[in-house]
Amino acid sequence: MFRTALRNVLAHKARLLMTILAVMLGVAFVSGTLVFTDTLGNAFRNQSAKSYDDIAVAVTTYADRRDEKSRAVDAATLKKIQALDGVATATGRVDGFAGVADPDGKLIGNGWTNTGSNFAPGKDGKDAAYTFTDGSGPTGAGSIALDEDTAKKGEYEVGDTVRVATNGPVKEYTLSGVFTTEDGAVNAGGSLVLFDTPVAQKLFLRPGEFRDVSVSAEPGTSDQQLLAAVKPLLPEDAEAKTGKVRADEEAKQAEAALGSINKVLLGFAGVALFVGVFLIANTFTMLVAQRTKELALMRAVGASRRQVKRSVLLEAAVVGLIASVVGFALGLGLAVGLRSAMSLFGGKIPAGPLVVGPTTVVAAFTVGVLITVLAAWLPARRAAKIPPVAAMNSAHAVATVKSLVVRNTIGGIITLLGAAAILGGAVKAGSEGQLLIAGGAFLALIGVIVLIPLLSRPVIALVRPLLRRLFGVSGKLAAQNAVRNPRRTGATASALAIGLTLVTGISVLGVTLGRAVDKATTDNIKADYMVSMASGDALDESALTALEKADGVTAVSPQQAVWLTIGGKGVSASGVTPGDVQQVLTVDAVAGSVDSLGKGEIAVAEKTAKSHGWKPGDTVSVTYEDEKKSELKVGALYKDNEFLSPVLIPRAAVAPHEGRADIREIWVKTDGGASAAHEQALVDALGDNPGMSIMDQQDIRDMFGGSVNLAMNIMYGLLAMALIIAVLGVVNTLAMSVFERQQEIGMLRAIGLDRRKVKRMIRLEAVVISLFGAVVGIGLGMFLGWAIGQTVAKSIPQYVLVVPWGRIAVFLLLAGVVGVLAALWPARSAARLNMLTAIKTE
């Protein structure tokens, strides 16, 4: 039976090719993803180990320059650590945001990875953390050093003047040197600026203080001994760990950051394999049907049911093994390609070999072979049931009425359970509702796929008159052929149905959320611009002062983050500019007057006021972050606005209680609205600071809608994967269908159907099957998009369901194109059949 299985694989190479391709795609993504993440994980582990190679103890504090009470390591403590027995060196570090401008004045890097630190030379004048390729480290207030990649991007050489942005105004420095480093921020595509230590302390923390300390040990001193000696000298909130522990933690953080990429790629693999199951099952079902006489003769000469079943499963295992080998090789290429792609997009990947672990190999081959064998199990079971008497005629085994009734009953029950779960999730809402919908979606998708053969007849019957009217005999025959074998049609259409369910659902949800974001921006933001730090850090108050004086500016208000304690409960508040805040943001009063902010009173969001029982005129006792108290009067209640904090308080009331204002964004209104001239005026007012981001309303909409667009792009990638496999499935189905119907096609040719009409018949059959799958997928996807939307509708006031009819029309058009492309080869083969030879074919 093993020899029989091998012979059958070799005898049906062309027909099994599509199955191999489907499995190959899934295995390629599985193996490529695992190799890619293992390779990067190993590279980052090696990088972390290298960066902590000479560090015995790493000390970290969480000191913040805005919080005068936060404890750091002062110079006296650093000297005590340096004086400990067994300490070779102890180096203090302080860091923060520092962005470098390129020759055009734009920020080099992406903001959150642009860092600045201090150059800390030892007795030899060198800093062990950096290797200088040109020049030397900075000395004095007017010089800096840059990492090699940043210097290259900015076209800077030693001696050049470099503009550097921190949280304050832009300053110019002389470039003293260029260095290489294993710093993680630089490897992520950012930049690193080294300042003289007193300069860095003044910029990022406080004079004479360090946020971190790196301690190296003398020979013979263990890391644990040194750790025990250092800990008693540290501030209360400081954290000390051995260099090895810290290296392991950083490596794990880097690997966790790769988790999202890992999930996306495995998602592609999952879709490829899930869709491929139907193609594999369809292929083996047709092969078994075409070999009815052969299998029956095997039974007649003594083969048992188990042997027949084992033969078909062995055939599937061989196909899966071949597909896994090819897919694994492609996966290695995919891993190399992904690594190169990350470098092209600005991510500097640490050097290291390609890592192919035994787990990856086992997983890839197990997935490929197991999926293929499982998909072939039902066809193998049917093959085993073929009675020997079937060898006496040429009729292919057909499904019994009982089997169809059982299938449709099971499919109906599963579909109803899935629909009930989806509706239940939509009613429940929230995260629990989303989990319920996810489970219901899986059941509904499985149930619909089981029911697809039943659905094919009525759905295709609707278009049969149109096909007959437009294409005559070819259209009539195409419609009849599409429903001749409902199981085959359903399995072929399933690939598109799965892909379009995912894509339609995310499109409905994405477009709806996008419209809600646009409406929220339009309804709640009156400002023409929002100014913030590219790094996400707080703005310096000098930026607010500069914007207030800029040409063309009519109103400016920050959203200064403030934390108040009212009635024993913490409340988030925003320090705003009275009079201007109403001009830049929508503050709709429902009681009292927002103008009362100018009198030193506070305004409270409607829901917050209701929860505390406040109303205009009430006086509340407020405790500030410096623990000082005051009495404030509630002057107004306003409609909740996602761009406003629950409490608005005049900046003047907060100023005496905060050392440094925590201003995350500044809203600006200009005379006549946004324009290139006004934007340039703001740029000039801020000193052409590359570290500051100036966004108009469209930029704000794009920022908030970015995650939605990313999710939609991922889903469109999944659609492309489903389309590829759907093409393979339709090609395979039509090719085998043409093989089965050689005699029939020969007879049609003999009675006058010319080659052009034969081709049209096959093409129309493919288009009908593809559009059928698309209609099923789009219908289920719209239902899921509505249900998921209901779970978030309450948290988004502007949420209104939007059906993207234009995109749905494009999806249907793509499905039709899939049918046409898939039919090219089978249609050509059918048209070229010799009618006399075909008529004689059994």
Side-chain angles (χ1 to χ4, degrees):
M1 298 306 291
F2 180 71
R3 287 197 300 271
T4 302
L6 289 177
R7 178 184 61 79
N8 286 326
V9 170
L10 296 174
H12 302 101
K13 294 187 291 291
R15 298 181 219 172
L16 290 170
L17 177 61
M18 305 303 172
T19 296
I20 291 173
L21 289 174
V23 179
M24 179 189 73
L25 286 172
V27 172
F29 275 102
V30 170
S31 57
T33 299
L34 296 176
V35 170
F36 175 68
T37 51
D38 285 350
T39 297
L40 261 62
N42 181 68
F44 283 121
R45 277 193 300 273
N46 292 339
Q47 180 194 53
S48 298
K50 186 177 180 181
S51 61
Y52 285 93
D53 190 36
D54 297 324
I55 297 176
V57 176
V59 178
T60 303
T61 69
Y62 301 95
D64 190 332
R65 69 173 186 156
R66 292 189 299 271
D67 183 3
E68 297 293 338
K69 295 181 179 179
S70 61
R71 301 291 302 278
V73 177
D74 56 27
T77 302
L78 181 61
K79 286 183 179 179
K80 291 179 181 178
I81 295 173
Q82 291 170 336
L84 289 172
D85 292 338
V87 172
T89 60
T91 306
R93 300 288 182 191
V94 61
D95 55 26
F97 168 73
V100 179
D102 66 12
D104 297 325
K106 303 298 182 183
L107 183 68
I108 297 175
N110 51 25
W112 60 273
T113 55
N114 297 117
T115 56
S117 188
N118 61 304
F119 176 67
K123 295 178 182 179
D124 59 357
K126 296 180 181 180
D127 190 329
Y130 312 104
T131 302
F132 280 81
T133 58
D134 192 13
S136 59
T139 54
S143 62
I144 60 165
L146 292 177
D147 69 272
E148 193 173 48
D149 287 347
T150 302
K152 189 180 294 182
K153 291 174 185 175
E155 301 177 4
Y156 292 121
E157 296 180 354
V158 172
D160 288 350
T161 298
V162 182
R163 297 177 70 248
V164 179
T166 55
N167 287 53
V170 179
K171 293 183 180 179
E172 293 186 344
Y173 299 87
T174 300
L175 183 62
S176 66
V178 177
F179 58 88
T180 59
T181 177
E182 296 295 329
D183 186 272
V186 176
N187 285 324
S191 61
L192 178 59
V193 183
L194 293 183
F195 299 89
D196 189 38
T197 295
V199 176
Q201 289 174 326
K202 184 177 179 181
L203 286 172
F204 304 131
L205 192 55
R206 293 179 287 268
E209 294 186 356
F210 299 94
R211 188 173 287 117
D212 306 315
V213 177
S214 300
V215 184
S216 62
E218 290 182 343
T221 304
S222 72
D223 294 354
Q224 292 297 333
Q225 287 177 331
L226 213 52
L227 179 64
V230 167
K231 275 187 174 182
L233 303 177
L234 300 177
E236 184 179 348
D237 296 333
E239 186 178 73
K241 296 180 180 179
T242 63
K244 185 179 184 308
V245 170
R246 184 57 56 83
D248 291 342
E249 288 178 350
E250 288 193 5
K252 287 179 181 178
Q253 290 172 1
E255 289 176 24
L258 296 172
S260 57
I261 300 175
N262 195 20
K263 289 175 183 176
V264 170
L265 293 175
L266 287 176
F268 279 87
V271 168
L273 291 169
F274 186 53
V275 175
V277 165
F278 300 97
L279 172 56
I280 298 164
N282 210 17
T283 301
F284 278 94
T285 297
M286 288 185 285
L287 285 175
V288 167
Q290 291 169 8
R291 289 158 49 197
T292 300
K293 288 184 67 174
E294 174 191 331
L295 294 172
L297 284 169
M298 289 173 62
R299 290 291 314 283
V301 297
S304 66
R305 287 188 174 186
R306 182 177 295 179
Q307 286 177 313
V308 171
K309 183 179 178 180
R310 193 182 300 159
S311 173
V312 176
L313 291 178
L314 279 172
E315 189 176 336
V318 171
V319 170
L321 185 61
I322 294 170
S324 298
V325 170
V326 179
F328 186 77
L330 285 176
L332 296 179
L334 177 65
V336 173
L338 286 170
R339 185 169 178 171
S340 302
M342 285 190 70
S343 299
L344 289 175
F345 285 109
K348 185 180 176 184
I349 308 301
L354 200 67
V355 177
V356 183
T359 304
T360 301
V361 178
V362 172
F365 280 84
T366 300
V367 165
V369 175
L370 190 62
I371 288 291
T372 311
V373 171
L374 287 176
W377 183 79
L378 277 176
R381 186 169 174 270
R382 292 193 196 106
K385 289 184 176 181
I386 295 174
V389 73
M392 303 301 295
N393 58 69
S394 60
H396 294 162
V398 295
T400 64
V401 173
K402 180 182 176 182
S403 68
L404 291 175
V405 170
V406 170
R407 177 189 178 118
N408 294 335
T409 302
I410 293 173
I413 292 171
I414 295 174
T415 304
L416 288 173
L417 287 173
I422 292 170
L423 290 171
V427 172
K428 195 173 185 63
S431 57
E432 291 183 8
Q434 290 166 4
L435 287 174
L436 198 57
I437 289 174
F442 178 76
L443 289 175
L445 194 58
I446 295 297
V448 168
I449 288 170
V450 173
L451 284 176
I452 271 186
L454 178 65
L455 296 172
S456 63
R457 289 186 182 276
V459 173
I460 295 175
L462 293 175
V463 298
R464 186 181 297 171
L466 181 63
L467 290 172
R468 185 185 306 162
R469 191 177 306 117
L470 293 177
F471 303 103
V473 174
S474 297
K476 178 181 178 181
L477 291 171
Q480 289 176 346
N481 290 333
V483 294
R484 174 182 291 185
N485 190 330
R487 282 186 171 178
R488 181 185 303 168
T489 298
T492 305
S494 296
L496 266 177
I498 294 167
L500 282 171
T501 296
L502 295 172
V503 174
T504 303
I506 201 68
S507 292
V508 170
L509 189 62
V511 171
T512 299
L513 291 177
R515 294 280 178 87
V517 169
D518 284 349
K519 195 171 188 305
T521 304
T522 304
D523 291 351
N524 297 322
I525 298 177
K526 296 179 180 179
D528 298 311
Y529 298 99
M530 183 184 81
V531 179
S532 60
M533 291 298 296
S535 61
D537 292 337
L539 288 154
D540 192 83
E541 285 192 80
S542 61
L544 178 61
T545 304
L547 289 170
E548 290 171 340
K549 298 177 181 178
D551 293 339
V553 171
T554 58
V556 178
S557 179
Q559 284 238 62
Q560 178 180 335
V562 179
W563 188 253
L564 304 175
T565 303
I566 305 177
K569 295 181 180 180
V571 179
S572 174
S574 287
V576 297
T577 303
D580 283 11
V581 67
Q582 300 98 304
Q583 298 182 54
V584 295
L585 294 169
T586 300
V587 190
D588 289 334
V590 295
S593 173
V594 181
D595 293 336
S596 61
L597 287 168
K599 303 175 185 177
E601 298 175 359
I602 61 173
V604 184
E606 194 173 12
K607 289 181 181 177
T608 302
K610 186 177 181 181
S611 66
H612 287 81
W614 297 335
K615 60 183 183 297
D618 288 351
T619 300
V620 296
S621 179
V622 175
T623 302
Y624 297 95
E625 288 191 83
D626 63 357
E627 298 182 1
K628 292 183 179 179
K629 298 181 179 180
S630 70
E631 300 291 320
L632 293 176
K633 185 178 180 181
V634 178
L637 307 184
Y638 59 88
K639 287 183 180 178
D640 286 83
N641 180 335
E642 48 262 52
F643 290 92
L644 291 172
S645 295
V647 174
L648 302 182
I649 183 171
R651 292 191 67 242
V654 181
H657 306 284
E658 294 195 346
R660 289 178 180 270
D662 187 3
I663 301 173
R664 297 294 166 170
E665 65 263 350
I666 301 173
W667 301 93
V668 182
K669 184 75 174 176
T670 56
D671 184 16
S675 67
H678 283 148
E679 185 170 344
Q680 187 58 49
L682 299 185
V683 171
D684 294 340
L686 294 170
D688 195 13
N689 191 323
M692 291 185 184
S693 170
I694 300 174
M695 293 188 287
D696 59 20
Q697 286 201 11
Q698 184 57 51
D699 294 329
I700 296 169
R701 285 196 290 267
D702 293 341
M703 177 182 70
F704 286 109
S707 58
V708 175
N709 293 332
L710 176 62
M712 291 180 68
N713 290 334
I714 291 172
M715 286 298 108
Y716 291 145
L718 293 177
L719 171 62
M721 175 66 65
L723 285 175
I724 291 171
I725 299 178
V727 169
L728 299 178
V730 177
V731 169
N732 218 23
T733 297
L734 291 176
M736 292 192 172
S737 180
V738 168
F739 178 81
E740 283 182 3
R741 290 151 44 196
Q742 287 186 62
Q743 189 179 63
E744 175 189 321
I745 293 170
M747 290 295 294
L748 289 171
R749 289 290 316 283
I751 61 175
L753 196 68
D754 60 28
R755 290 185 175 181
R756 182 171 56 86
K757 290 182 179 178
V758 170
K759 284 184 178 180
R760 184 183 298 166
M761 176 184 71
I762 301 298
R763 283 198 296 268
L764 288 173
E765 183 180 346
V767 170
V768 167
I769 293 173
S770 297
L771 288 177
F772 167 59
V775 168
V776 172
I778 288 171
L780 185 55
M782 290 174 65
F783 178 49
L784 286 175
W786 165 82
I788 297 171
Q790 291 302 112
T791 65
V792 298
K794 291 182 180 178
S795 60
I796 303 175
Q798 289 79 12
Y799 185 93
V800 177
L801 183 69
V802 179
V803 179
W805 294 112
R807 297 190 188 195
I808 288 173
V810 171
F811 297 157
L812 287 171
L813 180 62
L814 283 175
V817 171
V818 165
V820 172
L821 293 176
L824 290 176
W825 174 51
R828 185 169 177 269
S829 299
R832 295 180 65 184
L833 284 175
N834 182 289
M835 67 179 74
L836 294 178
T837 304
I839 290 171
K840 293 188 295 181
T841 302
E842 289 189 7

